[in-house]
Amino acid sequence: MIDHLTWNALPDPAAAMLAARALYEEEDPARLGSVRVTGGVADLPFYPTLVLAHLTLQPPGAPALELFLLTNDDDVFVLDGTSAPVHRANREDEVRVTEETAIDYLRFFCFAVRGDAGPFLLFEKPAIMPAADDALFPIAALAQPVELERVDEAGTFVLKARVHYEHGLYDSRFAVTPQGATEMVDDELLLADVTPAVIPDVPDLFPAEAVASRLETTGAVTPSGAAILRTLVELLLEQALRQQADTRLIAHFNARLTGGTVLERFARAVTTAAPVVAIESTLPFIEETVAQIARDHAAAATRVRWIESDVDPSDDTRLRVQVPESGPAVVLLPFHAYRAIVDAERVAHEIGARDVGCLIGCERVRDLPAGLRQVVDVTLRLPRLDAAAFAALFRRVMGDDPPAGWQDEDTHWVTHVHHSDFQHPRSLGLSPAETLAYIRERAQKRLRDLEPATGIALRDLHGLGEARIFAEDLITDVREAIAGRLAWRQVDHGVLLVGAPGTGKTTLARAIAKECGIRFVSASAASWQAAGHLGDHIRAMRADFALARRFAPAILFVDEIDSLGNRETFSGANAQYLTEVVNALLEQMQGLDPEAPVIVIAATNHADRVDPALRRAGRLDRVIEIPRPSAEALSQIFQQYLAEYEPALLGPDIDVRTLGGLTLGLTGADVELFVRGAARRARRGGHPIRQTELIAEITSKPRDPASSPRLTPAEVRRVAVHEAGHALAAFLGSTQGEEISFVTIVPRADGTLGFVARTPPARVLVTRREYLERLEVILAGRAAEEIVFGMEGITGGAQDDLRVGTESALLLTTQYGLGPDNKLLWSSSPSASQIDEASRVLTEAYAAVLARLRAAAPQLAALADALLAREELTGVEARAVLREGAPAGASAGTAPASPGAPPEGAAMVAPAAR
C-alpha cells in the first residue's frame, strides 16, 4: 500500500535535476548547478511506467522535500497539489486502477491533490498512538482502514474512508474510475475540531530518510502491494516451473542453462531463446509481473526490449501489437488483450516468424485465438495457493512463520487468499497470530459470499417432477467426483432448466449447490448486457465464468439465457453484435476443466429461443422441464412457507389442502407472495394468520372496500342469488358440492362482483355426464336469476359464464366426440353444424339446471340470504346451509376466488368490466 512504499535509489541523477528544474524554473540556473539532489523512487502499482520520486535538495535553505512522477523518458509530473498533473499523468501513462489497487490509488490521490487547507488525510492509523488513558485515545480509536465497498455496474470503485480535512473528521465515500478519475460523492461530519496530533502526519508517503526517523515505532519499511504481488507470483512461478520441468522445452532450457535458481534459468530462457510463453492465471496483468521478474533475474535483461501493446488510435477498444523485425525482444500481450488485438492472426504470424519472445497473460490457453495458440511454445499454469505456498508467502512478506499449529484446522481457504490481504497487517504491525486471523477471515468471507447457505434444501422443494430425480443424480455424481471416486468428465456439466416464471429454477440450482457443498455463482444474460458495449458485455460474461472457475468446483447459474437469442433468427444491424455474444458464451462453455470444474445451470422460460448450439452435446445438453406444481405440491409449499412463522402466529383453522386446490395453476413464487401478504393482513388486524387472510390474498380481496365497485342493495341481492345458483347446482350434482371451497359476493377491483371457488378434481379423465354437470353449474347463476327475478329481470352479469359455457360446449362437439349426435370428427374450428350442435348442448343443459333449481327453491333462497348476511361462506358453511335449508350460524367464514381456480361458471361480472 502507498503508506509503506519501498524506496530505491534514484536511477539517474540527471532525471532528478530535470525534475528540480521543472519545479524551480524561475530560480537562477547557476544556483541550481550547485544544488545536490538526492532522493529515491518507488513503484506505484497502478502506473505502468511512472514511478513516484522524492528529491532532497541541499545545501540548507533549499526546499527540503518535493514529490514528482517520473517516466523512463525523463518526463516529469510535478505534484504541486492541484489535480492537473495527476490527471495528465493518468492520461499519458494510461493508469490502470483495479480492484486490487483502488485503495492504493485513493491514498495517493488524496495526498497528491490538496484542498485549500492541505491534503485530505485518510484517518487509518495515527502517526503516534496515544496511551489508553490519554484524552486523545478516543479520537485515535476512530481510525478505520479504507474499504472497497463495491464495484458498480459501470466498473467504478466505491470506497469508504474516514477523512480528516480542515480540523474535521468525516465519513466519506469516493468514486474512482479505472482511468483514475476520483470524486468524493458523500461526506458526513463525524467529529469537529479534531486534534492534528492523532492524525497521520503523512511521512509514510515521504522518502526513506523521513520514514527511517520513525522506524522505532513503526518497524521496517514494508513492501508495497505491487511488491507483495510480485512475491506471490515468484512463488507460483517457481512451483509451475518445477511441476512442468519435464515439459520438453523447459527440460531443454534447464539442461542448457545450468546453474542459478529456477527463476534465473527461466529468465535467461525468456530473454535469450525467444520462446512464446502463455501464462495461465487469474491474476490481472500477470505477464507484466512475470516480465519484471525476468528483467531482474536475467543478466542480459538490459539488452532486451520489452514491448507492450498500445491502443489503436482509430478505435480505442482495439489494441495494436508492434512486433520488431528481430530480437532480442519480448512482446507482452496484456491480460485479456489478445481478445482485442486488431489482427490476431497477423500478430501470431509475425511472432512466429521473427526472433522475438512473447509473454501472453491468459486465464486459459484455450481462450486464445487459434493463431496464437499455434505459436505458443510453453504453457505455464500458475497453481493455486496451497498451504505450503501460503506459508512461504507469509514468511517472505511478514518476516515470520505462521503461528505453530495453524494447519491443524481446515486450510482450504488459503486457495482464496489475495496478495492484498497482507497489506493491512503489515501497515498495522500485527503479530503473526493476528495477521493469520485477519487473512483467514477475509478469505473465508469470500467463500461465504458464494455459499448457497440461505437456499432451501432439496427435500423442501415440491412440485419438481422429473427435475427432482435429475437433481438427486447430479448431487450424487458431484459428491463422488469431489471424493475422487468419479472422474469429472463423467459428471453433467451443462443443464438447461425450462419452466414458467416462479416455478423455482433459481431455487433448484441453489439447492443443488447447497446439497453438493460447492460454491454458487449467480449471473444473468441481462446483467452481462447491462455492462456496456460489446467488449464490456463479453468481459462481464467472462468475468462470471472466471469467478466460478476460481472457486471451483462450483455451479454457475445463468438466468434468462434466452435473452441472448438464437443466431438462426438474427438479422439487421445488431446481428453481428448478437452473434459475437453467443459465440463468446459458446467459447466459455466448451468443455469442462477437470482442474476447475464448473457446472453451468442455465434457466429460461422459452427453450425454443435458446440457440441450438448451446443445447448440443457438451454444453447445455440436459434439458429439464420444471412443471407448475400440482395441488398437493402447492399444499406442501404453503406448509413450508407458513412454517417460517412462530406457531403462535398461525391460526388453528388453516387448511393447506384447500389452499393448494385454490391455487392450482400458480407457482411456488405465488404462494410465497400470498403467505407474506396474509401475514401483513394479520398484523394489521392484530391476530394470528388465519385461513381468512390467506384466501383473501389468493383472491385479491380488497383491503379497502372503497376500491371495489359500489353496488346498490338490489344489486347485491342479485349477485347473492346468482352465486347461490352456482353453489346449489354443484350441491345437487354427483359430487354433492364437495369441490366448493367458498362463496363470496364481495366485489373485486377487476370488476368481478362475486364467485364460487371450486377445488378441481384430482382425476384427469372426465365422463360425458360429469362434463354436462359442470356445464349446468356454469349456467346455474343465470338460471337462478330467472327463477327469482323472472325472464325480464335477468341481467348481463352472466356474460363470463356464457363465454366459458360456449367454449365447453364446443369442445364437447368438435374435439371430445361427446355431443348429442355422437359425431366423432375432430375439428379445430367448428363448422355450422357443430355450432348448432353445441347450441343444443347449451340449451338442454340450461333447461335441466333451471328445472333442478326450481325444485330446490327453498335452498336457493336460504343460501342467498346467508350470503347477504355474511358476504362470504366457506365450502363447509355453504354446504351446511344447503343441507339445512336455513342460514348458517353466526360465525363468519372467508371465501374469495382464486386466480388459479377453474373457470367453471363461478363468477358474476359487471358488464362494464368486460
Side-chain angles (χ1 to χ4, degrees), residues 452-493:
T454 57
I456 299 174
L458 184 63
R459 66 177 179 274
D460 296 326
L461 297 180
H462 306 285
L464 296 176
E466 285 294 317
R468 175 181 295 278
I469 306 300
F470 159 76
E472 291 171 347
D473 290 344
L474 179 60
I475 291 166
T476 300
D477 288 349
V478 170
R479 288 175 174 172
E480 291 292 295
I482 292 173
R485 294 187 292 268
L486 186 70
W488 277 108
R489 66 176 180 275
Q490 296 177 288
V491 179
D492 287 331
H493 53 270

Side-chain angles (χ1 to χ4, degrees), residues 80 353 393 412 427 468 539 555 601 647 821 857 869 902:
D80 58 4
L393 180 64
H412 74 285
S427 66
R468 175 181 295 278
R539 272 192 292 273
I555 283 177
I601 300 182
D821 294 342

Side-chain angles (χ1 to χ4, degrees), residues 410-491:
D410 183 13
T411 59
H412 74 285
W413 52 268
V414 302
T415 304
H416 305 289
V417 170
H418 292 179
H419 69 278
S420 59
D421 295 339
F422 285 89
Q423 294 181 341
H424 279 305
R426 285 295 284 156
S427 66
L428 298 173
L430 300 184
S431 68
E434 292 170 326
T435 298
L436 179 69
Y438 175 86
I439 294 173
R440 180 171 51 206
E441 171 57 27
R442 286 176 65 88
Q444 290 177 338
K445 181 180 184 302
R446 295 186 186 105
L447 292 170
R448 288 195 299 271
D449 289 343
L450 296 179
E451 286 180 353
T454 57
I456 299 174
L458 184 63
R459 66 177 179 274
D460 296 326
L461 297 180
H462 306 285
L464 296 176
E466 285 294 317
R468 175 181 295 278
I469 306 300
F470 159 76
E472 291 171 347
D473 290 344
L474 179 60
I475 291 166
T476 300
D477 288 349
V478 170
R479 288 175 174 172
E480 291 292 295
I482 292 173
R485 294 187 292 268
L486 186 70
W488 277 108
R489 66 176 180 275
Q490 296 177 288
V491 179

Side-chain angles (χ1 to χ4, degrees), residues 528-731:
W528 293 340
Q529 186 173 16
H533 58 68
L534 178 62
D536 293 330
H537 188 162
I538 294 176
R539 272 192 292 273
M541 176 195 303
R542 287 167 172 154
D544 282 331
F545 275 89
L547 179 63
R549 284 190 287 267
R550 192 176 306 140
F551 287 87
I555 283 177
L556 173 61
F557 178 73
V558 184
D559 202 4
E560 304 168 328
I561 197 168
D562 55 285
S563 66
L564 294 178
N566 183 338
R567 289 173 299 175
E568 296 176 355
T569 64
F570 294 162
S571 62
N574 287 331
Q576 183 62 34
Y577 175 101
L578 297 172
T579 299
E580 290 199 35
V581 172
V582 175
N583 289 343
L585 181 58
L586 292 172
E587 168 197 306
Q588 290 297 310
M589 294 186 59
Q590 185 58 45
L592 182 145
D593 185 352
E595 298 296 325
V598 173
I599 299 167
V600 180
I601 300 182
T604 180
N605 304 333
H606 308 283
D608 57 313
R609 299 180 187 175
V610 178
D611 193 288
L614 285 171
R615 290 181 278 137
R616 75 157 177 80
R619 291 175 181 140
L620 301 176
D621 45 14
R622 293 281 187 183
V623 179
I624 306 298
E625 296 275 351
I626 300 183
R628 290 182 181 272
S630 64
E632 177 62 26
L634 287 165
S635 299
Q636 293 173 323
I637 295 171
F638 268 107
Q639 187 68 53
Q640 171 192 320
Y641 283 115
L642 288 167
E644 296 177 3
Y645 295 86
E646 295 292 334
L649 299 178
L650 301 176
D653 63 335
I654 295 177
D655 179 4
V656 294
R657 183 176 178 278
T658 297
L659 299 175
L662 290 176
T663 51
L664 184 65
L666 302 182
T667 67
D670 297 316
V671 170
E672 182 184 15
L673 176 66
F674 296 150
V675 171
R676 191 167 64 246
R680 186 183 303 111
R681 289 178 186 251
R683 286 195 301 270
R684 284 181 66 94
H687 52 71
I689 303 171
R690 303 175 304 193
Q691 189 86 343
T692 305
E693 283 78 30
L694 289 163
I695 295 178
E697 278 296 312
I698 292 169
T699 59
S700 303
K701 180 179 179 180
R703 300 172 70 179
D704 180 6
S707 64
S708 304
R710 304 298 294 239
L711 304 180
T712 66
E715 289 172 324
V716 173
R717 175 168 175 73
R718 185 177 297 279
V719 174
V721 168
H722 184 104
E723 302 307 332
H726 286 305
L728 179 56
F731 181 77

Side-chain angles (χ1 to χ4, degrees), residues 142-183:
L142 293 174
Q144 285 187 356
V146 179
E147 175 186 348
L148 176 59
E149 185 177 64
R150 59 188 172 88
V151 183
D152 68 16
E153 295 180 353
T156 298
F157 307 103
V158 179
L159 301 103
K160 294 171 58 177
R162 192 150 282 177
V163 177
H164 179 264
Y165 180 73
E166 201 171 8
H167 305 295
L169 190 60
Y170 297 84
D171 272 336
S172 304
R173 275 182 174 81
F174 292 84
V176 179
T177 70
Q179 296 74 37
T182 303
E183 178 184 4

